[in-house]
Amino acid sequence: MTINLILLSLLAYVIGSIPSGLWIGKIFYKKDIREFGSGNLGATNSFRVLGIKAGSIVTVMDILKGTVATLLPFFFQLHADHHFWLLTGAFAIIGHSFPLFAGFRGGKAVATSAGVILAYAPLLFVAALIIFLLTLKISKYVSLSSMIAALAALLISLFMGDWILIILIACITLFVVWRHRANITRIRNGEEPKIKWM
């Protein structure tokens, strides 16, 4: 079982490494999104550089990377503890943030982390999504909304009694905030771009 989990974790990393924004930008728009906007490979920069349609597709793909990777033990009928789903999900997050196929320079892990939560705790995903959308509607800042949604997910998870999930979400939250440190500075300085489509 240990070997199987190692192999699935590596597969999860490869799945997470799929640079959705980069590939869609290059194939359909002849643009390398790393050369525009924030230079990030995530969904937010895809929206900014490629538009709403492409950004939406990238968001869905990035979420599904986390969901599919988290469910790998189920797909391969590996009868392990449910918490091993979080292990493979974590490797997808690592893959998204440090992708094998894009020079290890990836996104900020928000959408893929959401996909992991969707697979493991769907109601928690829905709650975090609602908080994200409400914050986005009010603030117009994707970065701020992402951080608040991550913090909200952590707070909600504390009442779920699943300590492995709590630890993972705590790590995700810290990582998301760290990856957005430049955005925090821009928000303070009034330089962070606001969305115009909501």
Side-chain angles (χ1 to χ4, degrees):
M1 182 175 290
T2 301
I3 296 298
N4 289 335
L5 283 172
I6 291 173
L7 292 174
L8 289 187
S9 296
L10 291 174
L11 178 57
Y13 170 77
V14 172
I15 292 171
S17 289
I18 296 172
S20 311
L22 178 63
W23 288 359
I24 287 178
K26 283 191 170 183
I27 294 171
F28 297 104
Y29 297 86
K30 309 303 179 187
K31 286 184 177 181
D32 184 335
I33 65 172
R34 294 173 297 185
E35 299 174 359
F36 301 90
S38 66
N40 191 267
L41 280 183
T44 301
N45 201 41
S46 297
F47 272 104
R48 186 176 297 127
V49 175
L50 305 176
I52 294 177
K53 181 179 179 181
S56 299
I57 293 172
V58 171
T59 300
V60 171
M61 290 180 67
D62 285 350
I63 289 173
L64 287 177
K65 289 191 304 187
T67 302
V68 170
T70 303
L71 294 174
L72 283 176
F74 171 76
F75 293 146
F76 284 89
Q77 298 182 343
L78 185 63
H79 300 293
D81 188 289
H82 230 189
H83 290 127
F84 284 114
W85 291 23
L86 295 177
L87 175 65
T88 53
F91 272 89
I93 295 170
I94 294 170
H96 175 77
S97 304
F98 308 101
L100 179 66
F101 306 118
F104 302 101
R105 291 177 52 228
K108 296 180 179 177
V110 177
T112 303
S113 297
V116 173
I117 296 172
L118 173 60
Y120 189 84
L123 292 180
L124 178 57
F125 168 84
V126 172
L129 178 61
I130 291 172
I131 292 168
F132 171 83
L133 293 173
L134 286 175
T135 307
L136 186 61
K137 178 70 174 178
I138 295 168
S139 72
K140 309 300 183 187
Y141 290 127
V142 175
S143 55
L144 178 63
S145 302
S146 298
M147 290 184 283
I148 289 178
L151 287 167
L154 176 58
L155 290 174
I156 295 170
S157 71
L158 294 175
F159 296 94
M160 297 176 66
D162 186 334
W163 287 102
I164 303 299
L165 177 64
I166 292 169
I167 291 170
L168 178 64
I169 294 182
C171 292
I172 289 172
T173 301
L174 289 172
F175 186 66
V176 166
V177 172
W178 180 75
R179 294 282 277 187
H180 284 89
R181 60 196 185 281
N183 302 82
I184 294 172
T185 300
R186 288 196 294 269
I187 290 173
R188 287 175 176 171
N189 296 335
E191 300 170 350
E192 178 78 349
K194 292 186 176 183
I195 63 167
K196 300 177 181 179
W197 46 269
M198 178 181 281

